[in-house]
Amino acid sequence: MIALFRAVLLLCPPAFRREYGAAMCDDFALALADERTVHGFIGALTYALGAMWDLFTTALREYAAMFFRDFTYALRALRKTPSFTAVVVATLALAIGANAAVFSILHAVVLAPIPYADPGRLIAMNPFTNGRPFSFSLPNFADISTSLGDSISNSAAYTAVEAQTLTGRGEPRILNAIATTSGLFDTLGVSPELGRFATADDAKPGSPKTVVLSDALWREAFDADPHAIGSLVRLNGDAYRVIGVAPPDFRQPNVDGRGFEPADIWTVLPQSGVGTQYSRGYNTFEAIARLRPGVDLATANASIARIVAELQHRYPADDALFTANTVSLTDSIVGNVRALLFALFAAVSAVLLVACANVANLLLSRASSREREFSVRVAIGASRGRIVAQLLVETFVLALAGGAIGIALAYGIVGAFAASHLSFIPRADRVSVDASSILYTFAIVGFCTLAAGLAPAFGSARRDVATALRSAGRGGDASSGARARNILVASEIAMTLALVIGAGLVVRSFLALTAQPLGFSAENVRLVGPINATGKRYESDAGLYSYMRHVEEAVAVLPGVRSVAWSYAIPFNHRNWSTDFTMEGHTFAAGHEPDANITGIGASFFDALGATIRQGRAFTSDERAPVAIVNETFVRKFIGDRPPIGFHITPSVSSGAGTPPARTIVGVVDDIRTSFSKPTMPTIYLPMADLPVAASSLIVRSSAGASSDATIANAVTAIDPLVPRPQVIAMSSLLAADVAKQRLTVAALCGLAFVALALSIAGVFAVVSYGVTQRTHEFGIRMALGADARQIVRTVLVGAMRLAFLGIVLGLFVAGAGTRLLTDELYDTQPLDPLTFGSVTALVVLAALVAALVPARRATQVDPIVALRYE
Amino acid sequence: MSATSDLRASLPLGAATFYILLALAGGDRHGYGVIKEVEAQTAGTIKLGPGTLYRVIKQLLADGWIAELDGDAGGDGERRRTYRLTERGRSIARAEAERLDDLVAVARERNLLPMLAHG
């Protein structure tokens, strides 16, 4: 029992234990013996347990009291040196704030589970054609789902149906609609907020049409009225009955690399039907499934491979090139940004290390100027441990203040991030500084305390009292702290070099990406649409085309408008339509026809975009002949050296139900890029007059500042007020959105690299300055003995460069390993790009040189008389 | 005057502190003696643990309310450490007792305790 008591005693602060430990043990033994005689064994045991608990809380209270004393002492000490305190707190606040912000983003976007029940069992099924990402047809999806029955418990296929117009609830509005098989919500494990979700019964052919509303649409268009359930709504003129409302936080998954899909309304796909929608060649659906408990991806993939082989064999016309696999839904949703955010996290952590090194450096210098204070405290009986503890508490106070300001900073950064609508980052709007961010910040504060505080604290406490007291007047000895300082600065330079190299690589990649020729000019071009004309009047091609011509003419006469044209696909709008085709002089095995992007365009399309027609001509106004224009990639890939003009191709599209006609190529146009990062596809342009496509958009080129966006939208709605008001977007903002991810990477990495570089320059400056001050005496003697200023400068600079060299060698290794994280983010730039590595290294050496030059020059101004006076 | 207000600032005392001051008010004692005395004062309901005892003793010594006697009161070597109430400690204990007495008087007025026969 006494041994146990002694063990608990070990928890007490050593000073307290030394002073009273023996007395406490004696008293405990006496009291225990006493209890046993009076109250027996149980009484003694009760007392012993009580006394041990009492001792335990005593230990805690003693430590708390010590901490509180050190804390107030630290506050007093730091208040005496306000500029030092401000510099350190600002450095830490910047680094901690950036870390807390990046952690918050990483946590909310990548680490937090996707918002579905048991997300670990959810998978995305990825189809491919000829190895390229593709979509499912409903029959392929149905066959695969059925055969996977042993592996999956639920599955669903869905597609975003563009341009669905809701009428009858206020202004007509364009909705993001999802057409889905009935199992979508069940597969995701989501329950309705109101009403119910569609069941297999709702999907039976002939069942009444039903829709589920998003919470937002229910609030906006139905004023959150519970009686909305059961009411009828009109979508593109057809009546649907509202059966349920999805929960407010529900998000439609998008397995196409965009994370989540905006969705206002869900319609049910009937299980079977006759339209093209049900044909095996109509590939437009994405698919998800839920694995049965205990089934892993490998098993599901093995089964899928078997079924796909069977489909290829059984339906060669449609499925000859079809393959599919599965990945976890989480990977599918956040995989796109995971690497980027982890790279940013690594970068921001490196900045934290640089900041800690800098602060450690400042603390070391501060400690050496306080040697006298510590010597006195040791002389009057303070133990080494007490001085270490007190210095650590001082660092903790600094880190805590930095953390508090850092949290405020993180709130600002995260707020700006969430408000900047970075649509390529899933759930970017949900990012916030939450409990886990605060917890993480506390962890960083603890880390900073140890990383920045341990070396200075132990360094100060180790100093021999007698030596310190003797030399205190001259500012302490140089050797012991100097090595620690040099190592710190070298590692700062290493981290900084790696960061600046990373930033250099992404800048280089960004420049390479955006320097590619567009094939058109984006300046003063606006995109209006999609313009969704629905209803009886527009069901026939003639009716639709006549409306389109009216709109075109109404916009063309607006002031300053130079050129207007319709088009279905718009560059940088990620809206593509592809088709397979045949060519004269070639026969293709069924299912092995080549495919190309295809779009209907108005006569002025190339004019409005400022694209160059290389050969032949543009379409004429209202041209309806079976003609086509192709881009240069198409010619290169399929026509080769033959003259393209007059060549015949047969894309498998036609107006009405007729056989697709053979079309004569009448023009060849320069490649028009549709995205910076994806290669241009072979493209076929068809005259809009021949094949009018609903929900197309207008391209409008005007003189700068002419006709506002609102004027253009008004001109469109004036033709038919039942058509929802279209969006007007500058082409330049579409271009910017296309590289939003790269732009964010560049901005974040450059910002972090800049901070690290600034900190490192300050670090080199501080350490060289300190070294010069320490060696004032030596320099004085050397000057007195006839050394000239240049020799002194050289001595100082050589010392600084030795430091920088160590840091650079280390940094090149760190960079070599670290830039791997960026591999997927780099375009046309190698992770080990020698130009970037070389120029950045030169830059860092130069920065270190400049930082060392100022104190080096000061060394030459030492007055030998003053320096020697101390002797 | 200022001495009184200084005393007031220290009140109320923690329970363990007051018990220990009371125990020492009856004469010098070593640690275990204090534990026994507190137990006797409280009719056996409070038996201080050594941890609390020495934590408070350390504080009382630092504040100068008690003093450690030089030399050895017991017979078994230097471990027996004996403590004595200082004048200052006595004043503090008295001030605390008066404060409690005032409260007890209020309690009697409110009929929480029987009135004393000769108040």
Side-chain angles (χ1 to χ4, degrees), chain A residues 19 27 34-35 54 62, chain B residues 36 47 52 54 58 81:
Chain A
E19 184 68 23
D27 290 355
D34 211 31
E35 281 297 320
D54 174 66
E62 279 296 305
Chain B
K36 294 288 287 178
K47 186 150 192 177
T52 298
Y54 285 98
K58 182 184 156 202
R81 300 164 74 162

Side-chain angles (χ1 to χ4, degrees), chain B residues 20-44:
Chain B
I20 294 169
L21 290 180
L22 282 183
L24 290 175
D28 303 346
R29 285 175 213 285
H30 51 71
Y32 186 61
V34 172
I35 293 177
K36 294 288 287 178
E37 179 59 25
V38 169
E39 197 179 1
Q41 282 166 13
T42 58

Side-chain angles (χ1 to χ4, degrees), chain B residues 2-105:
Chain B
S2 79
T4 325
S5 65
D6 195 28
L7 288 182
R8 289 270 157 76
S10 313
L11 303 184
L13 298 179
T17 307
F18 192 46
Y19 288 140
I20 294 169
L21 290 180
L22 282 183
L24 290 175
D28 303 346
R29 285 175 213 285
H30 51 71
Y32 186 61
V34 172
I35 293 177
K36 294 288 287 178
E37 179 59 25
V38 169
E39 197 179 1
Q41 282 166 13
T42 58
T45 54
I46 304 286
K47 186 150 192 177
L48 290 175
T52 298
L53 176 70
Y54 285 98
R55 181 174 59 78
V56 174
I57 283 179
K58 182 184 156 202
Q59 189 59 45
L60 293 176
L61 285 169
D63 292 345
W65 296 3
I66 64 172
E68 187 170 345
L69 295 186
D70 291 334
D72 196 358
D76 50 353
E78 54 179 333
R79 280 179 175 184
R80 275 281 152 104
R81 300 164 74 162
T82 309
Y83 303 98
R84 167 177 293 172
L85 203 57
T86 61
E87 268 318 301
R88 181 166 171 72
R90 195 168 292 278
S91 318
I92 296 263
R94 187 178 303 122
E96 175 71 354
E98 282 165 1
R99 189 183 68 83
L100 292 173
D101 192 44
D102 291 348
L103 285 179
V104 171

Side-chain angles (χ1 to χ4, degrees), chain A residues 115-154:
Chain A
Y116 311 115
D118 199 0
R121 281 168 48 211
L122 286 172
I123 57 172
M125 301 203 265
N126 290 336
F128 300 88
T129 184
N130 209 359
R132 275 185 288 126
F134 198 51
S135 306
F136 281 108
S137 65
L138 283 178
N140 278 347
F141 165 74
D143 288 345
I144 288 176
S145 284
T146 313
S147 327
L148 275 181
D150 291 343
S151 301
I152 62 177
S153 56
N154 308 71

Side-chain angles (χ1 to χ4, degrees), chain A residues 142 268 270 272 492 603 631 683 822 825:
Chain A
V268 193
S272 56
E492 257 184 85
N631 68 355
T683 305
L822 290 170
E825 316 298 330

